[in-house]
Amino acid sequence: DIQMTQSPSTLSVSVGDRVTITCRASQSISDWLAWYQQKPGKAPKLLIYKASNLESGVPSRFSGSGSGTAFTLTLSSLQPDDFATYYCQQYNSYPRTFGQGTKLEIK
Amino acid sequence: EVQLVESGGGLIQPGGSLRLSCAASGFIVSSNYMSWVRQAPGKGLEWVSVIYRGGNTDYADSVKGRFTISTDNSKNTVHLQMNSLRVGDTAVYYCARDGYAALDVWGQGTTVTVS
C-alpha cells in the first residue's frame, strides 16, 4: 500500500496568511493526487485533483503542485471560511490512501 | 443535479450485519467507479471498498471477507453489505464517485455504531 504523510498535523494561522501544506507519498504516484477540505460534521469536499487542477467552483486562492512523491497545497490568502481540516489522497492505485489530515486553527 | 444520498446506518451489536445504501442522481452508477470511505470518530479518512464499471470489486484488508459492495442498476444505487461487524467498524460511512477527478462527488454520510 502507498503511504501518504501530511505535514503539519495542525497549523495556527490568521486570516490573510499564506498557508502551505505538504504531502509525501511512499512511492511515486505521478500526479494522481487530490486534496479535500472537511468541516466538522460534513462530508469531505474535493478541492484539487490531478495534483494541480482546481475543481469547479473552488476559489482560485487554492492551488496545488507537485508530482512523483512530493506535493503541496497552498492557500494564498486565508479566509474565515477556510478554517477546516485538509486531506491529501493518492488515487494512483488501490487501496486509495489518505494523509492523516492538517487542521487549520485560528491563531 | 449530481447527488449521492446514503442510508442504512444505525446501532448494531458486535457480530451483527447492516446494509448501507447509496442512491445516486444526475449520473449513472454503473458507468462509474464507486467507492465507500469511512471515518471513525475523531479520526481521518479510510478507504473501504470500490466497485468498478465492469462489476469487479476491491476491499481494504480491514474489511475483506466481511463486507460486500454491489450495485442495483435498476435503482441506480450502490450497497455495502457489512457482516461480522466489530467495534472498530464504528464510523461515518460515505459513498463517493471515484474517477479521473478522484472522489469528486460525496454523499452526506451515514453513521454506523457497533456497540
Side-chain angles (χ1 to χ4, degrees):
Chain A
D1 298 1
I2 298 173
Q3 295 185 19
M4 306 300 293
T5 304
Q6 252 180 271
S7 61
S9 298
T10 307
L11 204 49
S12 295
V13 292
S14 301
V15 172
D17 283 354
R18 180 181 179 88
V19 173
T20 299
I21 300 170
T22 297
C23 181
R24 291 191 177 273
S26 60
Q27 64 189 72
S28 178
I29 57 171
S30 184
D31 59 356
W32 297 105
L33 190 282
W35 290 96
Y36 303 89
Q37 177 193 69
Q38 188 180 34
K39 296 182 178 180
K42 299 296 186 182
K45 172 188 173 184
L46 177 67
L47 299 174
I48 303 281
Y49 64 95
K50 276 288 231 149
S52 61
N53 291 270
L54 197 66
E55 174 70 344
S56 176
V58 174
S60 59
R61 62 181 179 271
F62 291 91
S63 64
S65 64
S67 66
T69 62
F71 302 88
T72 59
L73 173 70
T74 300
L75 289 75
S76 60
S77 178
L78 199 71
Q79 298 302 300
D81 190 49
D82 300 336
F83 288 95
T85 300
Y86 294 82
Y87 295 93
C88 63
Q89 179 231 337
Q90 66 81 18
Y91 61 114
N92 178 76
S93 62
Y94 290 96
R96 305 304 202 208
T97 45
F98 294 86
Q100 77 276 20
T102 296
K103 184 176 181 180
L104 297 189
E105 297 182 333
I106 300 173
K107 184 183 288 184
Chain B
E1 181 189 7
V2 173
Q3 191 175 6
L4 293 168
V5 178
E6 299 100 334
S7 60
L11 174 63
I12 188 76
Q13 292 185 341
S17 298
L18 272 180
R19 188 176 86 151
L20 306 184
S21 298
C22 170
S25 55
F27 71 98
I28 298 172
V29 158
S30 61
S31 298
N32 289 270
Y33 289 12
M34 298 296 297
S35 276
W36 286 92
V37 174
R38 68 183 181 182
Q39 186 170 37
K43 301 298 184 182
L45 300 167
E46 179 189 17
W47 175 84
V48 172
S49 180
V50 63
I51 186 163
Y52 304 112
R53 274 189 295 270
N56 288 341
T57 59
D58 204 356
Y59 301 91
D61 286 345
S62 58
V63 307
K64 201 170 291 185
R66 300 187 298 122
F67 290 12
T68 303
I69 189 171
S70 63
T71 58
D72 181 340
N73 295 337
S74 68
K75 295 183 179 180
N76 207 30
T77 297
V78 184
H79 298 290
L80 186 67
Q81 177 67 42
M82 306 186 296
N83 298 330
S84 303
L85 281 161
R86 306 167 180 168
V87 171
D89 295 320
T90 294
V92 176
Y93 285 74
Y94 299 100
C95 65
R97 187 171 70 179
D98 187 346
Y100 176 83
L103 301 170
D104 65 337
V105 182
W106 293 68
Q108 84 287 356
T110 188
T111 300
V112 174
T113 303
V114 186
S115 178

